[in-house]
Amino acid sequence: MTEKRCVLEAKDLVFSYETTPNVIRGISMKAFPGERIIFLGGNGEGKSTLLYLLAGLFPPESGAIEIDGERVDPGKDVPPHLRKKTGFLFQESEDQILGATVYEDISFGPMNMKLEEEDIRSGVEKAIEMTGLEGLEERPTHYLSGGEKKRLCLASTFVMEPKILFCDEPFNSLDSSMKEKVENYLWDYSLKGNTLLLATHDVDFAWRFATRILLIHGGQILLDQAPEDFFQHKPLLEQVNLPMPLLLSLAETMGCKGRPKTLEEFIEEQEKNRHRTGALRDHV
Amino acid sequence: MKKGVILLWRTLVYSAFFQLLFDFPGAVYSLVPGAVTALVLSTTKVSDLMLIDYTAYRSPLRRIEGLYKLIFFLFCLLLSISRVSGRFSLSLFLFQAILMIGPGKVPLKRYLRFLEAPVMFLLMGAIGIALELDVFPLTVSVSQASFFRAQEVTRTALCAISCLYSLSLSTPLNQLMQTLRKIKIPERMIELMIVLYRYIFVLFTMYYPMKRALIMRGGNNLRGHGMLWSSLFKRSYERADHSMRSMLSRGYDGSVQFLSVPVATARGLLPMLVGMALVLAGAWLL
């Protein structure tokens, strides 16, 4: 059987800020096509820094990164053909927006890729449609709401059609309906076989969305498992102050045997549980 | 009390300004337009100069091809600074005001508010020009010649400012950038303008919440504002760092290039030519 080719590989990454040494301490990992990898951990544990390192936005002190099988030279910028394969959704939308209008901002990335004008226009229109920004093309970016700004950032990332998408706290300061929309966009993007790497505090989202969860603590990976296994390590999670997902805790408290990821699954589990306890009562 | 003082102050400033502009036979006549302007301004809460950008974005004139607007308003500007006559300057100023308030759909109150800052500067400049200072013996006087000089400079400057305001209030910045590219302004300058423009808004989004927080914490004093500005400087530096990272992640290679929404046809050639003919006729007649 042939081994699946990894799209991103990090080997022994070490990184320090001038003011904070050893923010990342020897992290190695691999990411494969279609994976949805979530970095969980507290504030200041190095999640965002790790994302920056993996995306080649920070040069590591030591260690190496390979994007789609090609090694990124340490201390050098990621070459354009590799840059096209990665996209980054930043925590603060304001940091990401550069264009005066929505249309202009989305076109910035493809223009840097020196694509043909027709291709750029069709890509921009596709990204606008994908993120529901129709009708806002000419709007100045500073008159957008928080949710619209986040969608614009997504559109400007999607337009590059990156194989690997990095997201730093993608739901930062979004209301619940906008969170749902952004989550759906990320689902759609992942289902096309792209790889997603996200840093978040949201354990409920990690539980239902991830294919793999990495626990980052003190600049190291403490756990790297599928969500079903990850949340079995209760003592360790308690130690690093990471709560259990709400639906999982509720299901366990109510004595359900299954491990529901969505509300529908939870209701189904509860129904099963009611039948089971009813049958047991009848039997007694 | 505070409002009354502001109203009085504005009335005095605008009366002086109207006297300077129109040279009424008695200073008391200028009190009427001065008081009316002050009253109009006192009823509006518009205080944000960032509204220039918003006004341009909402203006029906934004649909006109940027190059035509640039040619027309620069043509008006050139005529205004060539000092055809005082009457022509005033007429051109009124023409610009009518153009903006009428087809441009800029509310009158807002237009007057936009003009407030330059009016203050012009008035101070005019005082400086009109006053003649002798050291031995120490005398300060206003001669007829110096007054007329101040009047002419003020009229010319107001007219020139109104031409530039018309351009700003009818042309969103992205349209202006495209136009500047068309006339081959160096790319570096345009990029610098784009980044500066974007950064003004980024700074404002940081500044306002910080200022509100400062007021809430009772720090609305000199020390508090000093801390606010130093903090704003640090944070803007961080933001610049983040923005650079974001640009790199989108393949930035040293040049900032965008594509704009395609415009169907270049509209506005005829209105521009008619406008130019009108202004030229004005210059000849007045």
Side-chain angles (χ1 to χ4, degrees):
Chain A
M1 202 177 96
T2 54
E3 200 191 333
K4 217 176 175 183
R5 189 182 172 210
C6 74
V7 285
L8 180 74
E9 186 173 2
K11 288 175 193 162
D12 291 323
L13 291 180
V14 175
F15 184 80
S16 302
Y17 288 109
E18 270 179 40
T19 48
T20 327
N22 296 325
V23 178
I24 299 295
R25 298 190 292 172
I27 283 185
S28 298
M29 64 164 289
K30 282 180 179 182
F32 295 93
E35 273 196 311
R36 296 184 294 276
I37 301 172
I38 288 188
F39 299 125
L40 279 181
N43 285 328
E45 299 293 355
K47 303 188 299 291
S48 300
T49 308
L50 180 58
L51 278 187
Y52 289 141
L53 282 168
L54 292 173
L57 293 173
F58 277 172
E61 236 172 78
S62 64
I65 297 157
E66 276 182 23
I67 297 171
D68 213 16
E70 258 188 80
R71 192 185 156 98
V72 178
D73 289 331
K76 284 190 180 173
D77 281 342
V78 177
H81 70 281
L82 285 186
R83 183 59 75 208
K84 196 184 176 313
K85 293 179 181 174
T86 60
F88 206 111
L89 185 70
F90 287 79
Q91 187 171 354
E92 293 288 338
S93 307
E94 290 288 354
D95 296 337
Q96 196 162 344
I97 297 168
L98 186 69
T101 64
V102 168
Y103 195 96
E104 284 187 5
D105 190 65
I106 302 173
S107 72
F108 176 69
M111 286 291 279
N112 288 329
M113 295 300 144
K114 313 272 185 271
L115 302 177
E116 291 293 319
E117 189 179 322
E118 265 183 39
D119 296 334
I120 297 175
R121 289 205 186 279
S122 71
V124 170
E125 273 148 33
K126 213 166 100 183
I128 285 174
E129 196 190 321
M130 224 172 135
T131 47
L133 286 168
E134 294 103 330
L136 298 178
E137 292 90 340
E138 280 186 279
R139 180 165 297 185
T141 47
H142 43 273
Y143 296 131
L144 297 176
S145 68
E148 285 165 348
K149 278 183 183 163
K150 187 58 94 179
R151 269 149 69 200
L152 171 59
C153 292
L154 268 171
S156 64
T157 314
F158 287 160
V159 73
M160 312 270 282
E161 295 183 345
K163 275 185 170 181
I164 311 161
L165 179 59
F166 300 92
C167 304
D168 189 7
E169 297 288 354
F171 307 119
N172 190 26
S173 62
L174 292 183
D175 63 28
S176 51
S177 75
M178 196 48 67
K179 263 184 193 175
E180 203 180 319
K181 272 185 189 168
V182 172
E183 192 178 326
N184 288 339
Y185 298 140
L186 294 177
W187 268 112
D188 291 344
Y189 205 72
S190 159
L191 293 176
K192 287 176 187 164
N194 299 305
T195 308
L196 272 112
L197 292 100
L198 302 101
T200 182
H201 297 284
D202 192 338
V203 282
D204 296 305
F205 168 69
W207 168 240
R208 67 176 175 266
F209 187 80
T211 53
R212 241 169 91 195
I213 303 178
L214 276 71
L215 176 63
I216 310 291
H217 189 73
Q220 286 178 312
I221 298 175
L222 292 193
L223 268 180
D224 178 358
Q225 287 177 334
E228 290 74 13
D229 302 323
F230 184 90
F231 287 107
Q232 304 273 13
H233 299 270
K234 274 190 193 167
L236 179 63
L237 298 181
E238 264 172 33
Q239 212 179 320
V240 296
N241 291 324
L242 209 64
M244 293 292 281
L246 185 69
L247 286 177
L248 192 59
S249 305
L250 268 176
E252 278 180 11
T253 312
M254 297 178 84
C256 299
K257 282 192 173 173
R259 294 162 72 79
K261 288 197 172 185
T262 61
L263 199 60
E264 289 76 25
E265 281 178 21
F266 175 72
I267 293 166
E268 209 176 292
E269 276 301 320
Q270 213 190 359
E271 285 295 319
K272 274 188 209 166
N273 197 31
R274 198 177 296 150
H275 286 303
R276 204 167 38 241
T277 48
L280 187 68
R281 204 182 305 123
D282 291 345
H283 178 73
V284 172
Chain B
M1 177 66 187
K2 196 180 165 191
K3 276 185 182 173
V5 172
I6 292 172
L7 187 69
L8 191 67
W9 169 244
R10 272 197 178 130
T11 308
L12 283 174
V13 167
Y14 281 103
S15 301
F17 190 69
F18 283 121
Q19 180 61 32
L20 188 68
L21 275 187
F22 297 104
D23 205 4
F24 290 115
V28 73
Y29 292 106
S30 60
L31 272 174
V32 178
V36 170
T37 312
L39 269 173
V40 169
L41 283 175
S42 68
T43 57
T44 170
K45 287 180 182 166
V46 176
S47 59
D48 196 346
L49 269 179
M50 303 313 275
L51 268 176
I52 289 182
D53 178 76
Y54 181 74
T55 310
Y57 162 64
R58 306 285 292 179
S59 170
L61 298 177
R62 78 180 192 282
R63 293 281 168 216
I64 292 176
E65 167 71 44
L67 188 61
Y68 298 155
K69 281 187 283 191
L70 189 69
I71 292 171
F72 176 67
F73 291 122
L74 287 184
F75 171 77
C76 292
L77 180 71
L78 276 176
L79 274 182
S80 71
I81 57 174
S82 63
R83 297 188 185 185
V84 177
S85 72
R87 272 184 304 178
F88 171 70
S89 295
L90 278 179
S91 311
L92 190 55
F93 162 67
L94 288 175
F95 174 71
Q96 299 291 346
I98 291 165
L99 187 68
M100 285 303 107
I101 294 161
K105 296 248 174 3
V106 181
L108 174 68
K109 286 175 190 175
R110 198 181 290 173
Y111 191 73
L112 287 176
R113 177 70 86 170
F114 288 150
L115 282 177
E116 196 167 30
V119 161
M120 296 295 170
F121 279 108
L122 288 181
L123 201 60
M124 288 206 281
I127 292 168
I129 296 168
L131 289 179
E132 285 180 344
L133 182 78
D134 278 326
V135 183
F136 297 111
L138 187 66
T139 48
V140 180
S141 59
V142 178
S143 69
Q144 202 174 26
S146 68
F147 177 79
F148 284 136
R149 201 166 48 237
Q151 190 180 43
E152 195 175 329
V153 169
T154 310
R155 281 174 175 175
T156 308
L158 183 70
C159 181
I161 287 167
S162 71
C163 294
L164 288 177
Y165 260 131
S166 299
L167 181 67
S168 318
L169 294 174
S170 62
T171 319
L173 205 94
N174 65 314
Q175 195 183 30
L176 193 63
M177 301 294 175
Q178 288 161 37
T179 311
L180 294 180
R181 274 207 172 103
K182 272 184 203 164
I183 59 170
K184 307 285 178 211
I185 295 287
E187 202 57 43
R188 285 282 161 211
M189 264 181 78
I190 297 174
E191 282 170 16
L192 196 65
M193 283 167 78
I194 292 170
V195 175
L196 279 175
Y197 172 71
R198 175 72 198 127
Y199 246 76
I200 288 169
F201 293 98
V202 172
L203 277 179
F204 269 87
T205 51
M206 284 195 285
Y207 172 73
Y208 284 123
M210 283 167 82
K211 193 182 170 191
R212 265 176 242 132
L214 186 83
I215 293 166
M216 287 300 291
R217 294 162 72 194
N220 197 12
N221 49 36
L222 195 63
R223 187 169 166 268
H225 280 275
M227 285 166 78
L228 187 149
W229 283 101
S230 71
S231 168
L232 192 67
F233 179 74
K234 274 186 270 177
R235 282 179 63 181
S236 63
Y237 191 80
E238 279 169 21
R239 270 280 156 89
D241 219 27
H242 286 288
S243 291
M244 190 62 201
R245 236 173 275 154
S246 144
M247 284 161 74
L248 283 174
S249 80
R250 294 165 74 187
Y252 172 68
D253 61 351
S255 78
V256 183
Q257 294 274 353
F258 301 108
L259 261 189
S260 295
V261 178
V263 181
T265 47
R267 280 180 284 184
L269 183 63
L270 191 66
M272 180 193 73
L273 292 174
V274 171
M276 281 170 107
L278 267 175
V279 174
L280 265 179
W284 186 59
L285 287 171
L286 298 166

